[in-house]
Amino acid sequence: MPDAADPAPMNAPSRRKFRREGEERRRQDLIDATLDSVAEHGLEGATVRTIALRAGVTAGLIRHYFPGKEDLLQEAYAALMGRMTEQAKAALLMEDASPRQRLAAFVTANLNAPIIDQRVFSLWATFIGRAGADPTLARAHREGYLGFRNEVEAVVAEVLAAERRKPDASELRHHAIAINAIIDGLWIEGCLAGEMFSPGELAAIGIKAIEAELGLAPEKQFQEK
Amino acid sequence: MPDAADPAPMNAPSRRKFRREGEERRRQDLIDATLDSVAEHGLEGATVRTIALRAGVTAGLIRHYFPGKEDLLQEAYAALMGRMTEQAKAALLMEDASPRQRLAAFVTANLNAPIIDQRVFSLWATFIGRAGADPTLARAHREGYLGFRNEVEAVVAEVLAAERRKPDASELRHHAIAINAIIDGLWIEGCLAGEMFSPGELAAIGIKAIEAELGLAPEKQFQEK
DNA sequence: AGGCTATTTATACACTTGCACAACAACGCC
DNA sequence: GGCGTTGTTGTGCAAGTGTATAAATAGCCT
């Protein structure tokens, strides 16, 4: 069998073969390659050459799609945040479920794969570490955080309303902050030391902690089936 | 008035003046300069020249105290973790105080300055972002985390014992995980959006959430004076 | 005071980085 | 099928990187 994997052009100028991809496709590939590079080697290791190699193109092409490396990183971070919040909020969209069930589903979704994931955490930490120096990143985070917290606050209000309780705004805000902290904290623990917890354990801990925070009597109905 | 700040050697080879510092002092200065550089410009911006400039020396000196740049970063991270856990645990050392008071003091200490600090958070995030790729960092974090959680678990055990409750090991572990998450989550919120919270608000939220988690009746005794 | 030695500076070097630019070739269109 | 457009490659370059090493000098010891 002749060597199929390597055409071995003996003396030709041997320029690399390539395919023209759609613009959106290439941009996505480059962004994905950027996130992979950052996750694996950090921001310092995410060079245009590394990224291009991973995307299967040469370095020069990056400048054809992005004004500069900084812009690529910016868009990569935006894409990451978009995917995270999108997945997180998706769990809240359950129709015909009690507020309490939806809250439990939300917590469960946030404390299991694919949200609990070391790679995503590495990316989050790497980017957020520069929020102190980069106002653009700081505001991007702030907006994502407030959006997330508002979602939590809305569900909490529904849950308490279903229990015939009428919390004032301050009380509601405090609950949302605390619940947000519980989810974030457990998320970090799970990402950094996932194998220390049995499957579903973090979600169970989170739900119990949140029920305690809200003063809900633990009900059995969520355990059967 | 003759120019006092600049001796202005007219034609001398003009080699830079310097002072010999003690070894430990120099190492500490270099480590501090490293942390400052990382906090401000990230790992990518922490070059030997930047660090040396900030420490008031020239780049070559770094190699006189550290085998390589990587070692300097390693020691800087170790120093950071050491200071953080040291400060955190210090609040637990109150003698003649009820377990519950000590727990409250611990939470309060962790949710106020200087633990709540954007610079410290940037450093933590920047380094921890590489924990996925760097096993050394990962283990360093794991040990620090477990040490912290064990402290929490010990206080929780004392608090519950004072309430005449006898939790089993699993229950204790879950409480520690949840409380750890509450503290971590609120710590992040405070570091990233400190000005959104009034002074002491995060600590109050944390204490209330933890008391709920432990099933402690909110007592008034901690509010007066 | 004067020398010794280790600390510190300064320079050099090989290598990498982001970016610029010209040559090239894949693909749509006539 | 030939041709033009432009996505893509390859090369080059100046600036910056970590490290090696020689030269200089600050401060201690006698």
Side-chain angles (χ1 to χ4, degrees):
Chain A
M1 178 195 294
D3 191 348
D6 187 358
M10 312 207 32
N11 51 0
S14 99
R15 200 181 174 89
R16 174 177 177 169
K17 292 279 192 279
F18 62 92
R19 283 201 325 148
R20 300 171 101 127
E21 295 284 355
E23 163 163 357
E24 217 41 54
R25 169 70 184 274
R26 270 278 190 260
R27 293 179 65 89
Q28 268 309 315
D29 284 350
L30 286 173
I31 286 178
D32 288 340
T34 302
L35 291 178
D36 283 342
S37 298
V38 172
E40 201 161 320
H41 306 105
L43 275 175
E44 36 169 357
T47 72
V48 288
R49 285 170 178 82
T50 302
I51 295 170
L53 178 66
R54 202 181 277 266
V57 297
T58 51
L61 190 61
I62 289 183
R63 289 264 326 181
H64 192 260
Y65 285 100
F66 301 91
K69 184 197 173 189
E70 215 56 39
D71 303 80
L72 172 56
L73 284 174
Q74 196 97 331
E75 290 207 28
Y77 178 65
L80 171 71
M81 292 293 283
R83 290 176 207 172
M84 284 182 68
T85 62
E86 173 194 9
Q87 286 178 316
K89 288 183 184 174
L92 279 175
L93 296 182
M94 305 166 48
E95 294 296 333
D96 50 72
S98 74
R100 196 162 163 179
Q101 282 175 321
R102 288 175 57 225
L103 177 57
F106 179 69
V107 175
T108 302
N110 275 290
L111 295 180
N112 279 292
I115 309 264
I116 292 237
D117 177 74
Q118 202 177 61
R119 175 180 172 276
V120 173
F121 175 80
S122 283
L123 286 169
W124 174 84
T126 302
F127 279 114
I128 209 69
R130 297 217 327 186
D134 189 334
T136 307
L137 279 181
R139 198 179 44 199
H141 164 78
R142 180 75 51 93
E143 289 167 2
Y145 164 69
L146 281 181
F148 193 86
R149 206 180 82 187
N150 283 339
E151 297 282 342
V152 170
E153 198 168 310
V155 194
V156 168
E158 291 180 39
V159 170
L160 293 183
E163 301 269 328
R164 307 239 162 71
R165 287 165 54 186
K166 254 316 225 179
D168 59 31
S170 165
E171 196 177 339
L172 213 51
R173 173 169 171 270
H174 280 194
H175 282 319
I177 293 172
I179 291 173
N180 196 61
I182 292 170
I183 295 176
D184 284 355
L186 290 177
W187 176 71
I188 291 177
E189 298 190 55
C191 290
L192 280 175
E195 74 291 349
M196 290 180 56
F197 308 99
S198 57
E201 187 177 20
L202 283 175
I205 295 176
I207 291 176
K208 265 179 57 181
I210 289 171
E211 286 175 347
E213 162 72 19
L214 294 180
L216 302 177
E219 297 181 7
K220 300 289 186 296
Q221 66 182 101
F222 299 108
Q223 297 176 1
E224 44 187 310
K225 188 53 175 294
Chain B
M1 178 195 296
D3 191 346
D6 186 358
M10 312 214 26
N11 51 1
S14 100
R15 199 182 173 88
R16 174 177 177 167
K17 292 280 193 279
F18 62 92
R19 281 200 328 147
R20 300 171 101 128
E21 296 283 356
E23 163 164 358
E24 217 41 53
R25 169 67 184 275
R26 269 278 189 261
R27 292 178 67 88
Q28 266 310 315
D29 284 351
L30 286 174
I31 286 178
D32 288 339
T34 302
L35 291 177
D36 283 342
S37 298
V38 172
E40 201 160 320
H41 305 105
L43 275 175
E44 37 169 356
T47 71
V48 289
R49 286 168 179 83
T50 301
I51 294 170
L53 178 67
R54 202 182 275 265
V57 297
T58 51
L61 191 60
I62 289 183
R63 292 274 328 220
H64 191 261
Y65 285 100
F66 300 92
K69 184 198 174 190
E70 215 56 38
D71 303 80
L72 173 55
L73 284 174
Q74 196 98 332
E75 289 207 29
Y77 178 65
L80 170 73
M81 291 293 282
R83 290 176 207 172
M84 285 181 68
T85 61
E86 173 193 10
Q87 287 177 316
K89 288 184 184 175
L92 280 175
L93 296 183
M94 304 167 48
E95 295 294 333
D96 50 71
S98 74
R100 194 163 164 178
Q101 281 175 321
R102 289 174 58 226
L103 177 58
F106 180 69
V107 175
T108 302
N110 275 290
L111 295 180
N112 279 292
I115 308 262
I116 291 237
D117 178 74
Q118 201 179 63
R119 175 180 171 277
V120 173
F121 174 80
S122 283
L123 287 169
W124 174 83
T126 302
F127 280 113
I128 209 68
R130 298 217 325 186
D134 188 337
T136 306
L137 279 181
R139 198 178 45 201
H141 163 79
R142 179 76 51 94
E143 288 166 5
Y145 164 70
L146 280 182
F148 193 87
R149 206 180 81 187
N150 284 339
E151 297 282 342
V152 170
E153 198 167 310
V155 195
V156 167
E158 292 181 38
V159 170
L160 293 184
E163 302 268 328
R164 308 237 161 71
R165 286 165 54 185
K166 255 317 222 179
D168 59 31
S170 164
E171 194 177 340
L172 213 51
R173 173 169 171 270
H174 280 194
H175 282 320
I177 292 172
I179 292 173
N180 196 59
I182 292 170
I183 295 176
D184 284 355
L186 291 176
W187 176 71
I188 291 177
E189 298 190 55
C191 290
L192 280 174
E195 74 290 349
M196 290 180 57
F197 308 99
S198 58
E201 187 177 20
L202 282 177
I205 295 175
I207 291 176
K208 265 179 55 181
I210 289 172
E211 287 175 346
E213 162 72 19
L214 295 179
L216 302 177
E219 296 182 6
K220 299 290 186 298
Q221 67 182 100
F222 299 107
Q223 296 176 4
E224 42 187 312
K225 193 50 176 293

